[in-house]
């Protein structure tokens, strides 16, 4: 039994080291969403690691906070540093998706990183992307209605 003690101790040490080394590289992102008009539903923020992920609407990370009039802060914890496309939605009915009218235009307030402009289509990934560094990164998104 004694010959297994050292490998078990080494393995436990490796697991602990791996655990703490990942935490050292983790970041926090605080997204202040402005222009929330009501307390209905939730404010959701999606982060997209690549332009292709955004095109397919496959968010890499997501977080939400209950809505209330004014500004809502949505916080991402333990986020890997990097560049992310950012999209925000005031999900008025809490159904987890953006509701659109018959013409395909959003019925719920939305916004993008860097307050990127929308011209009959979502902005380019480069225009809506933010860089998350080590530590805490803060950004602001203003909601718009169509």
């Amino acid at each position: 039994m004694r010959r297994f003690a050292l490998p078990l101790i080494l393995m436990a040490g490796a697991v602990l080291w791996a655990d703490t080394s990942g935490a050292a590289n983790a970041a926090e992102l605080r997204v202040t969403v402005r222009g929330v008009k009501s307390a209905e539903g939730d404010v959701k923020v999606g982060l997209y690691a690549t332009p292709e992920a955004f095109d397919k609407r496959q968010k890499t990370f997501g977080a939400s906070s209950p809505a209330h009039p004014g500004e809502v802060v949505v916080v991402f914890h333990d986020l890997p540093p990097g560049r992310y496309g950012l999209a925000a939605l005031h999900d008025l009915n809490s159904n987890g998706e953006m509701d659109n009218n018959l013409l395909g235009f959003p019925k719920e307030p939305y916004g993008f990183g860097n307050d990127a402009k929308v011209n009959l289509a979502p902005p380019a990934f480069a225009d809506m992307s933010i860089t998350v560094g080590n530590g805490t990164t803060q950004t602001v998104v203003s909601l718009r209605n169509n």
Side-chain angles (χ1 to χ4, degrees):
M1 284 291 237
R2 293 172 101 180
R3 64 183 168 163
F4 294 109
L6 184 57
L8 286 175
I9 290 170
L10 291 175
M11 193 165 69
V15 169
L16 288 175
W17 178 79
D19 234 8
T20 57
S21 68
N25 291 331
E28 178 180 275
L29 173 63
R30 300 177 64 79
V31 181
T32 300
V33 180
R34 293 184 175 157
V36 179
K37 298 208 184 315
S38 74
E40 293 177 72
D42 301 303
V43 174
K44 298 183 183 317
V45 176
L47 299 178
Y48 302 85
T50 65
E52 296 78 24
F54 179 67
D55 290 343
K56 294 177 183 177
R57 303 302 185 261
Q58 295 174 338
K59 68 180 174 260
T60 308
F61 300 101
S64 66
S65 290
H68 56 82
E71 294 182 349
V72 173
V73 178
V74 178
V75 181
F76 291 83
H77 300 282
D78 300 324
L79 191 64
R83 189 137 180 92
Y84 299 98
L86 187 152
L89 167 69
H90 183 180
D91 188 8
L92 293 166
N93 57 7
S94 296
N95 68 351
E97 57 188 50
M98 178 181 279
D99 295 325
N100 298 310
N101 65 20
L102 293 175
L103 298 175
F105 292 106
K107 291 170 41 177
E108 297 175 304
Y110 63 93
F112 296 98
N114 304 316
D115 284 336
K117 303 290 182 229
V118 176
N119 294 318
L120 298 177
F125 185 81
D127 295 337
M128 63 183 271
S129 296
I130 62 160
T131 300
V132 176
N134 290 319
T136 300
T137 301
Q138 297 187 32
T139 191
V140 176
V141 174
S142 299
L143 293 179
R144 64 186 68 167
N145 293 303
N146 278 350

